[in-house]
Amino acid sequence: MKADYHMHSTISDGRLTPREVVMRAAKNRVECLALTDHDDLSSWSEAWATANECGIRLITGVEISTTWHGKTIHILGYGFRALDATLKSRLDQMRSTRAMRSVRIAEKLSALGFPYALEGAQAIAGRIEPISRTHFARWMINQGYCRNFAQAMNQYLADGQPASVDHDWVSVPTAVQWIREAGGHAFIAHPLRYKMPQPSLTLAQLIDEFTDSGGVGMEVVYNQLGPNETAHIADIAWHRGLVASRGSDFHSDGEGADIGAIADLPKKLMSIEKLLELS
Ligand code: AMP
Ligand code: MN
Ligand code: MN
Ligand code: MN
């Protein structure tokens, strides 16, 4: 089954509306889908209506920002109750802290010689908030300050870079608990993307804390992983008994992989499809 369980719409930092995302997935012949906007469930109604129209199977999804030893870690949630009021209000509250962070990021960019960044990012997002580092990166490219997305992130906006702002999202166990209390399953997103915050901290320790709090899975196949890295992550998932998921992390044309354009999961692993009884 062609499936993709990680992508974004205009609700967070993608460039297509929820409807356009699902239509594009249908065009790419994806049969099963999760839209995983950052810290936000509000793409659901529109995505669900479009998925019904297109005959695509849609499961609930979200990508929750967490802070682990000062580092941003993304936790994916799947299969929770779409209209869970508690999860929604927890995320609403958490998202509201973005506004202050945006101001501070813009202040840092201004000090680096890039003034009016917040106004620029807001114009790109087409709203006042929520604003993501992705919007700041797109603005820097449009202004000619950076050549591409990777440069904007790696040189200025990624954790630890001069325009990044330390932010206390929720803890990893809290995000896992929120997802579980809404009836869902928690997965670690893109596990090899994190530069560990201290040499003494490892992915193994993150997985310990994650599974101790009830997390069950990990993204094993995603954009930018070579076959060796996928094999490495698959080994870890196998040894730790983690369920495997896969996702393009699609945001827009020209920014990474297209929807559905990712490899199959290694056969030996328990898959998200099995867990959610999708196939
Ligand atoms: P935010 O949610 O505002 O912290 O923005 C994080 C988003 O920036 C991620 O979801 C990605 O879409 C994008 N991004 C791309 N590369 C990086 C990177 N190296 N570090 C952080 N964010 C990145
Ligand atoms: Mn993103
Ligand atoms: Mn992510
Ligand atoms: Mn993502």
Side-chain angles (χ1 to χ4, degrees):
M1 181 169 65
K2 195 166 174 188
D4 191 335
Y5 302 106
H6 188 161
M7 66 198 71
H8 299 273
S9 76
T10 45
I11 293 295
S12 60
D13 59 351
R15 287 209 226 224
L16 302 185
T17 64
R19 178 173 176 79
E20 288 166 340
V21 168
V22 176
M23 303 274 274
R24 186 178 184 120
K27 186 171 140 266
N28 293 358
R29 299 183 185 284
V30 173
E31 295 161 87
C32 193
L33 198 70
L35 221 175
T36 51
D37 275 312
H38 297 285
D39 315 315
D40 204 316
L41 310 180
S42 46
S43 69
W44 177 254
S45 305
E46 186 180 318
W48 179 85
T50 315
N52 276 350
E53 210 180 284
C54 299
I56 286 193
R57 183 108 190 231
L58 185 74
I59 61 166
T60 51
V62 67
E63 184 172 23
I64 301 184
S65 313
T66 74
T67 302
W68 188 68
H69 299 273
K71 176 95 194 158
T72 309
I73 305 284
H74 285 169
I75 302 294
L76 293 159
Y78 296 116
F80 50 83
R81 292 180 292 275
L83 304 178
D84 190 274
T86 306
L87 180 58
K88 180 184 179 305
S89 81
R90 284 168 162 167
L91 293 173
D92 286 348
Q93 198 176 347
M94 174 186 165
R95 222 171 40 248
S96 69
T97 68
R98 275 188 186 267
M100 267 170 51
R101 188 185 76 141
S102 302
V103 170
R104 294 186 58 209
I105 293 174
E107 283 168 359
K108 288 199 160 186
L109 285 170
S110 184
L112 289 163
F114 311 118
Y116 304 110
L118 185 52
E119 292 80 355
Q122 287 169 335
I124 289 206
R127 60 179 174 242
I128 301 297
E129 282 291 338
I131 297 297
S132 148
R133 282 183 279 179
T134 310
H135 299 115
F136 283 106
R138 289 181 188 142
W139 173 76
M140 294 187 85
I141 297 162
N142 282 4
Q143 293 293 106
Y145 297 144
C146 295
R147 285 184 308 282
N148 54 39
F149 199 83
Q151 190 202 358
M153 283 292 165
N154 297 336
Q155 203 168 330
Y156 297 107
L157 292 159
D159 283 15
Q161 294 312 114
S164 85
V165 165
D166 289 341
H167 193 76
D168 269 334
W169 299 110
V170 293
S171 70
V172 170
T174 299
V176 172
Q177 186 197 338
W178 287 4
I179 292 162
R180 294 181 70 201
E181 285 180 6
H185 307 276
F187 283 62
I188 296 174
H190 38 67
L192 288 188
R193 201 178 295 171
Y194 311 117
K195 291 194 192 79
M196 283 298 148
Q198 298 152 28
S200 59
L201 288 166
T202 62
L203 180 59
Q205 281 162 295
L206 172 63
I207 293 174
D208 283 342
E209 221 172 292
F210 172 75
T211 52
D212 283 352
S213 53
V216 294
M218 185 158 72
E219 241 179 7
V220 170
V221 170
Y222 56 95
N223 184 30
Q224 294 172 328
L225 280 192
N228 289 345
E229 289 167 316
T230 300
H232 174 60
I233 285 294
D235 258 10
I236 297 173
W238 170 253
H239 283 112
R240 302 300 299 258
L242 290 168
V243 181
S245 175
R246 60 179 161 149
S248 60
D249 204 0
F250 173 80
H251 284 73
S252 79
D253 262 331
E255 287 179 354
D258 199 354
I259 300 173
I262 36 165
D264 289 340
L265 285 174
K267 292 272 180 299
K268 66 176 180 182
L269 298 175
M270 161 96 172
S271 69
I272 180 170
E273 281 99 13
K274 263 242 163 72
L275 176 75
L276 297 175
E277 296 175 353
L278 297 169
S279 60

